[in-house]
Amino acid sequence: ARVREAREAARGEVNFDWDVGEFEQTMRMEFDENWNAAEFNAAPYVPGFNIQPPGGSKEDEGSVLDAHKDWLMRVGNIPNDEVFNESKRVALEQFQHYKRMDEKERVRAGASPISGDFLAERASLTEEVDGISSDSPMYAFAVKAVDALDGNAGWSHDRKIRALRFLASRAEKYGAAEETGATQV
């Protein structure tokens, strides 16, 4: 019976006493986020509220808030300078607190201490094997290991660093064994 009802509804033989398109439009306006896109796109960059511009913000957080004080006061319905300064103080304290929490969590999870700069992160991996001389037989392997680990999203940064340190220590032992003439490491 339900299949028959569904087929009848799909053919359009059922008459509704309301317009489906009008209902959907009204519900979108009622329940979706109804932002003024033009106003938000014209808004200045405020750290933590929208996408950071390429290259990052070179200003400290307090000067950014001061530079956009008029806009923040208008959008935030802030009545006077005293309330703005108090809100700014609280916001900067909370921002520093959350920044410290994020850094602690990154350390706990073994994530890279470098955020948003993949070239600097790769350089930090390369630094771990810089001590291996280019004359060493393990040098080419170390370069390939850095390439492989840099492209491996499955390993945490901490695990990559530990693997490269292990490789560097083995290369050092291998080099020391070659200098003394030993055959086994």
Side-chain angles (χ1 to χ4, degrees):
R2 291 187 181 183
V3 173
R4 183 177 43 79
E5 290 173 5
R7 287 183 180 154
E8 287 175 4
R11 278 185 288 216
E13 295 173 3
V14 178
N15 293 326
F16 294 102
D17 58 347
W18 47 275
D19 183 17
V20 177
E22 183 180 332
F23 174 75
E24 288 178 355
Q25 178 66 21
T26 305
M27 290 301 105
R28 268 193 217 101
M29 289 171 57
E30 184 73 27
F31 296 111
D32 281 356
E33 293 180 353
N34 193 7
W35 304 109
N36 181 348
E39 181 181 353
F40 275 88
N41 289 338
Y45 165 70
V46 178
F49 288 105
N50 49 3
I51 298 171
Q52 193 169 0
S57 177
K58 304 298 184 221
E59 303 176 80
D60 70 320
E61 293 81 20
S63 64
V64 170
L65 294 176
D66 287 334
H68 303 298
K69 179 179 177 181
D70 295 335
W71 183 83
L72 289 169
M73 288 181 73
R74 181 173 50 84
V75 171
N77 294 326
I78 299 174
N80 55 33
D81 289 342
E82 292 83 27
V83 175
F84 175 80
N85 289 334
E86 179 61 20
S87 299
K88 176 183 161 186
R89 184 189 64 76
V90 170
L92 291 175
E93 284 177 5
Q94 288 177 346
F95 180 74
Q96 293 304 322
H97 171 69
Y98 289 126
K99 203 172 179 180
R100 285 191 302 273
M101 284 177 47
D102 181 54
E103 289 169 1
K104 286 180 184 177
E105 179 59 24
R106 290 178 70 81
V107 168
R108 187 200 65 75
S112 172
I114 302 159
S115 178
D117 188 359
F118 67 92
L119 294 175
E121 186 172 330
R122 181 180 173 81
S124 72
L125 294 175
T126 306
E127 287 172 4
E128 295 299 323
V129 293
D130 278 346
I132 301 174
S133 70
S134 58
D135 299 340
S136 172
M138 294 189 73
Y139 178 76
F141 180 74
V143 170
K144 289 179 182 177
V146 169
D147 289 340
L149 290 175
D150 183 40
N152 185 354
W155 279 25
S156 68
H157 185 76
D158 183 44
R159 190 172 176 192
K160 294 174 187 180
I161 293 292
R162 281 186 280 140
L164 290 173
R165 284 182 182 160
F166 178 78
L167 174 65
S169 70
R170 291 294 173 199
E172 185 178 314
K173 287 180 183 179
Y174 183 74
E178 272 191 348
E179 288 176 6
T180 59
T183 56
Q184 292 184 350
V185 176

